[in-house]
Amino acid sequence: MNRWVQRDRAWGEPALKARKQGGSPRPKLNRQQLAQTTRLVRDHAPDQLELPYALWTREAVGQLIQQQWGVRLSQQAVGNYLRAWGLSPQKPTKRAREQCPLRPPKLDGAPVPALHRRAQREGAPIHAW
C-alpha cells in the first residue's frame, strides 16, 4: 500500500495503472531441435548417448539438451518440455519390482545379444546359472 501511495504522490495516477509483469516466455529450442531431442529421448537410453544415467530423468534430458544444443534449462522447463511431448513419469509395474535382480536377462535360454556383445567388447566373462 505504501508503494502505491508513494507512486501516486511522485508521478500521479498514471503510475498506478496495472503493468505487464516479466517478459513473454520464449522457447529456448527451435522446432528442429525439439523434434530431434524428442526422437533421441524416445529411441535411445541415456547410456547409449553417453550420459551417466540408466533411465531418462529430468536431469538426464536437461543434460542431453545442454550436450546437443548448448542450452541450459531449469528442471521446471525440462519438465514442461517432457509434458508437452506426452512423456510422463512412470512407476515400474508390480511384476517388475518382484523380479529377481540377480538373474541375468535371457532370450530362449541365451544371454541378451546386446549384453553378450558388450561383455565381449569389454573382455568380461558372462556367467550363467
Side-chain angles (χ1 to χ4, degrees):
M1 189 73 183
N2 287 337
R3 287 184 190 168
W4 288 353
V5 172
Q6 289 173 351
R7 284 184 190 160
D8 184 45
R9 287 182 184 158
W11 297 290
E13 194 174 319
L16 301 177
K17 288 186 178 177
R19 293 180 287 167
K20 192 174 183 179
Q21 297 291 317
S24 62
R26 284 174 250 142
K28 301 258 185 184
L29 301 176
N30 62 38
R31 287 183 183 184
Q32 180 184 3
Q33 291 170 329
L34 287 172
Q36 189 169 352
T37 303
T38 305
R39 251 182 266 115
L40 288 171
V41 169
R42 288 180 190 239
D43 298 342
H44 298 87
D47 58 347
Q48 292 175 320
L49 300 172
E50 298 180 10
L51 294 169
Y53 302 94
L55 299 173
W56 285 112
T57 62
R58 285 183 181 197
E59 294 85 15
V61 174
Q63 198 168 348
L64 173 68
I65 290 170
Q66 187 172 2
Q67 174 185 310
Q68 292 288 319
W69 314 113
V71 175
R72 192 176 177 115
L73 298 174
S74 69
Q75 295 300 307
Q76 183 177 0
V78 173
N80 292 340
Y81 278 128
L82 291 171
R83 219 170 293 108
W85 297 336
L87 302 175
S88 62
Q90 303 294 311
K91 290 184 181 178
T93 62
K94 185 175 182 180
R95 193 181 111 234
R97 280 184 275 169
E98 292 173 348
Q99 289 179 348
C100 176
L102 300 175
R103 179 172 288 154
K106 294 187 177 226
L107 291 174
D108 299 328
V112 176
L115 179 64
H116 190 271
R117 283 192 302 273
R118 182 175 174 190
Q120 284 180 332
R121 196 172 51 244
E122 296 178 6
I126 295 181
H127 299 282
W129 61 91

